[in-house]
Amino acid sequence: MAQNSVALKHYQMYINGEFKDSSSGNLITVINPATGAPISTVPSATLEETRAAIDAAYEAQKSWKKVPAATRGQYLHDVAAEIRQEADHLIEMLQEEQGKIKSLATTEILFSADYFDYMASASRTYEGEILQSDNANESIMIDKQPIGVAAGILPWNFPFFLIARKMGPALVTGNTIVMKPSSDTPNLGLEFGKICEKVGIPKGVVNIVTGPGAVIGDELSKNKKIGIISLTGSVNSGKRVMAAAATHMAKVSLELGGKAPAIVCKDADIDLAVQSIIDSRVDNNGQLCNNCERVYVQESIADKFTKELAQKMAAVTVGDPMAHEDIGMGPLINQAALDKVSGMVDRAVAAGGKLETGGHVVKIAKGFYFEPTVISGVKQDSEIVQDEIFGPVLPVLTFKTLDDAIEMANDSDFGLTSSIFTENIDNVMRASRELEDGETYINRFNFEAMNGSHSGWKESGIGGDDGKHGIEEFLNTHVIYLQGHPEKAQG
């Protein structure tokens, strides 16, 4: 090692209550996307180590499910308190490994704490049913029981919050969990193991394993001891998980990609629409499944709207979020992401699209930056309108009637989120009934509530997260027919 070099930070996996490296000795190097510089190493687990984590969770679940729900919930409250105690450290880690701006990193960490508290409160509210029977002296009871071992496959775009979103409902309902963080952003996931240990969550209840999806994700999907696989990721990843889960009929909960349309009607508040759409596009550096991915604006206001949109997008500042706290947007996650976004824009321009602003790679250190971009003159069947961009790029198209707008908005393989900007209640009602998406936002930016329901239609996913519906994902239904002795039915 050179005399002036600094050793990289190293994080260990958390399996059955112990911090471990991989017996393979293989390491993954984590890169700061804002600078391109390496920041840490993490273990690359073997198949045997993945199975050991699953086995630990399987054994731990036998006793964990017997712990009173309120006690399980208290562990989550303790986790939330510890997150708040460590917030500054966790915020810095999140910015370093994922490139979030300071305000959003702060929101993610503190929202995660709130989410754990919210899920903890479900310990006294999730419930079954008692139904009336056609038979004398009989009760029909619908009991809700844990599925068993959950697998949580986490994305890189919200590496901390997705721990809460998967682990919170899993644990409070009596399941144990094995989580696989993304190899782009594993640091926070492994650091979270220290929180689990500090608050005393029993051994094996939470396990965190790092490494390639081809090894870990595959085993988590096809291992018969896994009862539910909860994945947030790409459509292709979701299809692979479904295929593997089908080998043993495990339940899947998949939150996949999106291509959110925004419809801007002629009666819309243009200033509100422009700002909301920009907020929904550059949030998380343009890397959010909810992000607005395409805009349909009514012809009579198209010129005014597009001009204002381009002006405000051009004003979004880009830079290293850790060097400039007030920056508007940070980097994309890696070189592959940058190449994808840049290539899609270049091909759209070559096909006749007009750059209203942006459209180019930004050279800042060795980071992965792309300009906030607005492009008009693209066609409905073009790649940039049909495929997920996952970067700060807004294609703008026009429409004559709301019929046309809804038809184009629904012309997609995706169906996660959508939005409409209008002051006409009839437009709102039609959009609410006819847009083919799991969520529709009216006159606001695209971001969901923890007590709502986050679920996609079509290729955007199966199942869902958040609120009581997200809790139901981690429960099996057990129907019990309790028949009293027929001769004693009359008392």
Side-chain angles (χ1 to χ4, degrees):
M1 183 180 292
Q3 185 173 1
N4 294 327
S5 65
V6 177
L8 297 180
K9 290 174 286 188
H10 180 70
Y11 298 91
Q12 294 179 303
M13 299 184 293
Y14 187 64
I15 300 175
N16 201 24
E18 297 181 6
F19 293 95
K20 297 181 177 181
D21 285 316
S22 174
S23 61
S24 70
N26 294 332
L27 298 174
I28 296 168
T29 300
V30 183
I31 303 298
N32 181 339
T35 64
I39 55 176
S40 68
T41 57
V42 302
S44 183
T46 64
L47 176 61
E48 292 73 24
E49 287 158 346
T50 305
R51 288 174 176 169
I54 295 170
D55 290 345
Y58 184 80
E59 292 301 318
Q61 203 269 334
K62 295 175 183 178
S63 55
W64 179 250
K65 68 181 180 180
K66 298 176 183 177
V67 173
T71 303
R72 297 194 299 255
Q74 186 58 52
Y75 280 109
L76 298 184
H77 282 309
D78 293 344
V79 166
E82 190 61 28
I83 290 171
R84 295 187 184 99
Q85 183 70 27
E86 297 290 327
D88 290 344
H89 171 56
L90 297 172
I91 290 165
E92 184 175 339
M93 286 186 65
L94 178 54
Q95 287 195 273
E96 184 180 46
E97 72 170 340
Q98 203 267 323
K100 275 185 170 61
I101 62 173
K102 179 68 176 291
S103 60
L104 185 58
T106 301
T107 297
E108 179 170 348
I109 297 303
L110 297 181
F111 188 82
S112 298
D114 292 345
Y115 199 92
F116 273 117
D117 276 335
Y118 173 79
M119 285 297 168
S121 68
S123 65
R124 292 186 174 92
T125 59
Y126 79 89
E127 58 191 20
E129 303 171 61
I130 298 178
L131 307 178
Q132 300 302 315
S133 173
D134 292 349
N135 301 321
N137 204 27
E138 180 180 70
S139 292
I140 303 173
M141 298 182 291
I142 297 181
D143 189 21
K144 294 294 184 176
Q145 298 182 3
I147 293 174
V149 180
I153 302 177
L154 312 178
W156 49 261
N157 59 339
F158 282 89
F160 198 78
F161 169 59
L162 269 295
I163 295 172
R165 184 177 252 172
K166 298 183 189 304
M167 175 182 144
L171 262 62
V172 77
T173 51
N175 303 277
T176 55
I177 193 166
V178 181
M179 291 185 287
K180 178 205 171 305
S182 166
S183 293
D184 284 309
T185 55
N187 293 349
L188 271 171
L190 298 181
E191 184 77 357
F192 183 77
K194 299 176 184 177
I195 293 177
C196 294
E197 181 185 51
K198 187 170 183 178
V199 304
I201 292 177
K203 292 172 61 173
V205 171
V206 176
N207 303 271
I208 307 165
V209 185
T210 50
V215 176
I216 300 171
D218 183 63
E219 183 62 23
L220 289 175
S221 302
K222 69 184 184 184
N223 192 296
K224 291 184 178 181
K225 291 181 178 178
I226 297 289
I228 175 173
I229 304 105
S230 178
L231 163 79
T232 301
S234 69
V235 173
N236 287 337
S237 295
K239 289 179 178 180
R240 288 194 295 270
V241 165
M242 280 192 75
T247 62
H248 63 115
M249 298 303 291
K251 185 176 183 180
V252 294
S253 180
L254 308 175
E255 197 270 322
L256 308 177
K259 191 66 184 175
I263 297 172
V264 184
C265 298
K266 61 185 179 182
D267 57 21
D269 181 325
I270 291 181
D271 291 341
L272 172 66
V274 165
Q275 193 60 56
S276 298
I277 289 169
I278 290 175
D279 290 343
S280 297
R281 178 65 275 177
V282 303
D283 194 13
N284 204 34
N285 311 334
Q287 303 169 123
L288 175 60
C289 296
N290 280 12
N291 280 140
C292 175
E293 281 257 343
R294 51 198 167 115
V295 182
Y296 299 100
V297 56
Q298 203 149 20
E299 287 180 344
S300 61
I301 61 167
D303 289 344
K304 179 180 180 181
F305 172 85
T306 305
K307 181 179 180 180
E308 185 173 333
L309 182 72
Q311 288 175 341
K312 289 197 173 183
M313 276 287 275
V316 176
T317 53
V318 179
D320 181 347
M322 297 191 76
H324 306 283
E325 187 170 314
D326 60 348
I327 209 76
M329 197 182 78
L332 300 181
I333 189 62
N334 54 32
Q335 186 65 51
L338 183 61
D339 291 344
K340 175 191 173 185
V341 172
S342 180
M344 291 183 76
V345 171
D346 288 347
R347 289 188 292 275
V349 172
K354 176 187 176 184
L355 287 174
E356 302 288 346
T357 189
H360 304 96
V361 172
V362 181
K363 298 293 186 181
I364 302 175
K366 294 183 179 179
F368 312 115
Y369 299 88
F370 197 82
E371 290 178 312
T373 298
V374 176
I375 183 168
S376 62
V378 294
K379 297 184 183 301
Q380 173 67 16
D381 62 356
S382 65
E383 172 195 42
I384 205 163
V385 174
Q386 292 295 326
D387 295 347
E388 190 172 33
I389 304 167
F390 230 56
V393 178
L394 279 170
V396 179
L397 300 88
T398 62
F399 67 90
K400 293 181 182 294
T401 68
L402 187 58
D403 285 339
D404 299 330
I406 292 174
E407 181 179 0
M408 289 189 290
N410 289 339
D411 176 29
S412 173
D413 291 334
F414 299 97
L416 186 59
T417 70
S418 56
S419 60
I420 184 170
F421 295 87
T422 179
E423 296 186 356
N424 184 315
I425 188 63
D426 293 322
N427 291 344
V428 170
M429 294 298 293
R430 280 203 58 200
S432 300
R433 288 192 301 265
E434 298 179 25
L435 286 173
E436 297 170 355
D437 304 283
E439 301 166 26
T440 297
Y441 300 92
I442 312 296
N443 294 325
R444 58 161 284 191
F445 73 108
N446 299 16
F447 202 82
E448 70 273 18
M450 69 174 71
N451 58 335
S453 177
H454 183 58
S455 59
W457 293 14
K458 299 188 275 192
E459 290 195 3
S460 286
I462 292 174
D465 300 296
D466 305 337
K468 65 180 182 180
H469 303 289
I471 293 167
E472 287 283 333
E473 287 289 289
F474 292 89
L475 290 165
N476 275 330
T477 298
H478 186 196
V479 183
I480 303 163
Y481 294 89
L482 182 59
Q483 175 70 66
H485 194 288
E487 294 181 3
K488 298 181 180 180
Q490 302 305 317

